[in-house]
Amino acid sequence: MTRPELFPEVRSVLDAPPRLFIGGRWHERTEEQSLPSLDPATGLTHAWIARGTVEDVDAAVQAASQALAGEWSRLSPDARGEILWRTGDLITQHAEPLAQLEALDSGKPIVPTRDGDIPGTAEVFRYYAGWPTKIAGATRELTIAHTLGMTLRQPVGVVGMIVPWNFPLLMTAWKLAPALAAGCTMVLKPSEFTSLSALYLADLLREAGVPNGVVNVVTGVGSEAGEAIVRHPGIDKVAFTGSTAVGRAVMRGAADSNLKNIALELGGKSPNIVFDDADLSRAIEVVSRGIFGNMGQNCTAGSRILVQRGIYAEVVEALGRHAESLVLGDSLQESTQIGPLVNVTQRARVSGYVDLAEQEGARIITDRSIDPGLSPDGYYLRPAVIADASNSMRVAREEIFGPVACVIPFESEADALEIGNDADYALAAGVWTSDLSRAHRMAARIRAGVVWVNTYNSTDPAMPFGGVGQSGVGRELGPEGVDAFLETKSVVIRVGDAE
Ligand code: NAD
């Protein structure tokens, strides 16, 4: 199958020299100072990105610090709101090339990228466009006589943002839009595997009116540019999304440097719990999407599918059939439902977990063969359904971050709750039932930052998102999302006695 032609905007990003966006200007780098960016569908290099250094991060922090004290701090809240709204509109206007670039760079199938990721990114900017004018402190009645107490809400300052490769643009928007609403300035480091859409976005932000230095983009690897951000004394907060292992390093780095504020959105091993009174035809379709969507490379992937014993065999069989019906293909083809994984390491890792499931005594009920028509150098892997899994197996405890569903039987509501809560992670959970009282009981008792009932992965800019336990610290989206980029200052004023 021939690949669709690339949009000129996409071509120009791919062909651009490796570069960093600092102080509102592009700074080019040589090939020695850069990294290849690979196309996961072919394994070929399709662009070069700059390998940002400690000095580059330092220059970006200087630019962000100057911008914090400059024109940006004097802009009225409604002017900040207008910039955010315009950014949302520009993303919508550029939706087609942005979707193509994102799919090409990450391996995501084009259709959900165009219909989900890109409009979702624009929505986040539009949601936060309404926030700058709503940020408000409070006045307080004080016990101390003749004094007035009030609070000021002020931007946290310069924020370092480190994002992963699974939803490059969307995860960037979840941080960037509320931080702009709060009046912060920032240094953004996208994942070294998927940096291209962030570079495209930098131009859109400039066009929307974001002043120079407010948003700086430093591409590069985690152990260099990422660590330089975490340890920089001029950064006031790090907002990080990625693995739990790196999350720990971020926490340590913040403690060892200037004790900067941190927010961590980390991994998950979310239970998606199907009771025997659920609407099964809908449940199976959404549960399947909950683990195989984005090839399972989703922090909220419903990777532990807990199914009540009486319907276990039927659900396992239906999930297997559904998984095998999914069309594996090149990320740019409209027919593709499952694209390649993001890189070769990730494919080997995920495939290793499928082998491990068999060694642990579970049953793989899905075919593992890859269509010979697909590029042998692409990072393809068929979705796998693991039946007869138990919650103590490594495949049920460790985050696989790939299209691998562990289906675990349970007997009762108490049993479902015990198995569901028996995990180090606690990011999201799904509950499928037609019993309203049970839905409420489960939502209250399940240990997770997000619970979906009779739906899954329904994120919305208005609803806070984040994990508990080893799934993270802090919340993004919703009013909590903007709060995370504000400090509260208490001001107490002695008013004095009446004359
Ligand atoms: P990762 O932790 O390997 O990398 C994430 C980012 O951190 C990248 O930009 C990387 O360059 C950078 N990084 C790596 N080492 C670093 C270091 N020592 N110091 C500073 N930065 C460093 O994660 P990934 O493989 O890109 O993404 C997958 C992980 O992200 C999964 O665990 C997934 O669950 C998690 N994730 C969580 C959420 C959430 O909201 N909870 C959302 C998406 C992804």
Side-chain angles (χ1 to χ4, degrees), residues 162-166 171 174 189-192 220-223 226-227 230 240-244 246 249-250 265-268 299 399 401 427 465 471:
I162 303 178
V163 293
W165 43 258
N166 59 339
M171 291 301 101
W174 284 19
K189 195 201 86 62
S191 165
E192 51 272 47
V221 298
S223 55
E227 210 170 310
V230 169
F240 171 82
T241 299
S243 60
T244 296
V246 177
V250 172
E265 294 285 355
L266 309 176
C299 53
E399 185 183 45
F401 220 59
L427 184 57
F465 179 94
S471 287

